[in-house]
Amino acid sequence: MKEKIIGILGGMGPDATCALFDRIIRFTNAKCDKEHIRIIIDNNPKIPDRTSAILGKSASPVPELVKTATNLQNSGVDFIVIPCITSHYFLDEIQKEIKVPILNALTLTKEYIDEKYENINKIGLIATSGTVKTKLFQNLLDNKEVIIPTEEEQDKYVMEIIYGKEGVKAGYRSGKVKDYLSEIVNRLKDRGAEAIIAGCTEISLVLSQSDIDIPLIDPLTVMAEKSVLIAKGLI
């Protein structure tokens, strides 16, 4: 069976794109160059901000997302993966404009949770305000109680972790970022969270399983592993 070519619709942000690429490489378990999967990346950081668009504060990212996905399709990819979780709000709009399939990180995460954490009932979510407000995870995980930060916590901690002057998108990985992450994880745990979803790629760049004492569910890692299996024809 011919190995499939993976397309990464990236740039949201560039570090998240690199992280997905790196995880796909690690999951491939190749012993030489030829055993790796062909991956075509369009790193387009000019795509309008997804959270800002969802909140009605900026232009829709859909035209640029479609343009970038079309680029990948024309380059010969067999399927597309998108590191940015918030952009999945627009997934249906992108998919209807192109022929190659786009993997849905949210659906894959639900399947992973149902398989690995069937007995966990309460899951904390750390994600952008766009993802939280559109209830992307809450609606999907209808068999679980999804615990989200309060509006004050979302603005003071989570959005600062992601978008702040000393946040992940600004290149920071320690200091205030780590302190705020620890604070929000502890607050979600105090409300009963038995696991945490890194619901924004930037969160998964700085929060690892070694940082917390409850399961960390990372959609980026789930998507990377599934991409390798699909590309290799193993599922």
Side-chain angles (χ1 to χ4, degrees):
M1 182 179 178
K2 183 182 176 182
E3 191 174 273
K4 289 182 170 64
I5 299 171
I6 301 173
I8 299 180
L9 201 171
M12 307 170 285
D15 279 347
T17 304
C18 284
L20 179 58
F21 183 27
D22 178 66
R23 291 176 201 191
I24 290 173
I25 290 170
R26 289 193 287 109
F27 278 119
T28 303
N29 195 29
K31 300 296 186 289
C32 64
D33 287 350
K34 287 185 178 181
E35 292 183 2
H36 281 285
I37 298 162
R38 186 176 179 192
I39 300 171
I40 298 175
I41 302 171
D42 189 334
N43 186 68
N44 183 2
K46 308 307 180 186
I47 297 170
D49 186 83
R50 285 63 57 200
T51 293
S52 183
I54 288 169
L55 299 178
K57 297 179 180 178
S58 67
S60 170
V62 171
E64 202 65 30
L65 284 165
V66 170
K67 179 181 174 182
T68 312
T70 302
N71 238 15
L72 291 168
Q73 178 176 263
N74 292 342
S75 297
V77 305
D78 293 294
F79 65 95
I80 292 171
V81 288
I82 307 177
C84 174
I85 301 301
T86 308
S87 68
H88 282 64
Y89 175 74
F90 306 99
L91 198 63
D92 289 344
E93 292 180 77
I94 308 166
Q95 185 65 83
K96 72 180 183 182
E97 299 295 334
I98 64 169
K99 295 178 181 179
V100 298
I102 305 171
L103 293 195
N104 189 325
L106 301 172
T107 303
L108 296 178
T109 301
K110 176 177 170 52
E111 292 171 357
Y112 177 82
I113 291 171
D114 287 344
E115 179 184 348
K116 302 287 186 181
Y117 299 110
E118 181 183 0
N119 295 325
I120 284 180
N121 297 310
K122 297 181 179 183
I123 301 179
L125 174 64
I126 306 176
T128 65
S129 295
T131 297
V132 171
K133 288 182 182 296
T134 53
K135 299 185 177 181
L136 290 179
F137 283 99
Q138 298 95 308
N139 290 337
L140 194 68
L141 300 172
D142 54 3
N143 59 335
K144 308 288 184 184
E145 180 183 342
V146 179
I147 302 171
I148 62 173
T150 65
E151 193 167 325
E152 180 183 359
E153 291 167 344
Q154 183 70 22
D155 292 338
K156 181 178 179 181
Y157 296 112
V158 181
M159 293 301 279
E160 278 298 307
I161 291 166
I162 300 167
Y163 287 99
K165 290 182 179 179
E166 297 178 43
V168 180
K169 284 186 179 291
Y172 290 83
R173 299 290 183 273
S174 59
K176 186 182 289 187
V177 164
K178 280 288 192 179
D179 292 341
Y180 282 6
L181 264 175
S182 178
E183 180 66 27
I184 201 65
V185 166
N186 287 332
R187 290 187 181 212
L188 293 173
K189 282 173 56 182
D190 287 344
R191 289 182 208 135
E194 304 165 83
I196 297 291
I197 296 176
C200 172
T201 314
E202 274 70 28
I203 299 298
S204 72
L205 295 180
V206 291
L207 184 65
S208 63
Q209 186 59 71
S210 61
D211 295 320
I212 61 176
D213 58 1
I214 57 176
L216 176 63
I217 299 163
D218 179 14
L220 194 70
T221 298
V222 171
M223 185 163 55
E225 186 171 16
K226 190 70 70 170
S227 297
V228 171
L229 295 174
I230 293 171
K232 291 288 187 181
L234 299 176
I235 57 172

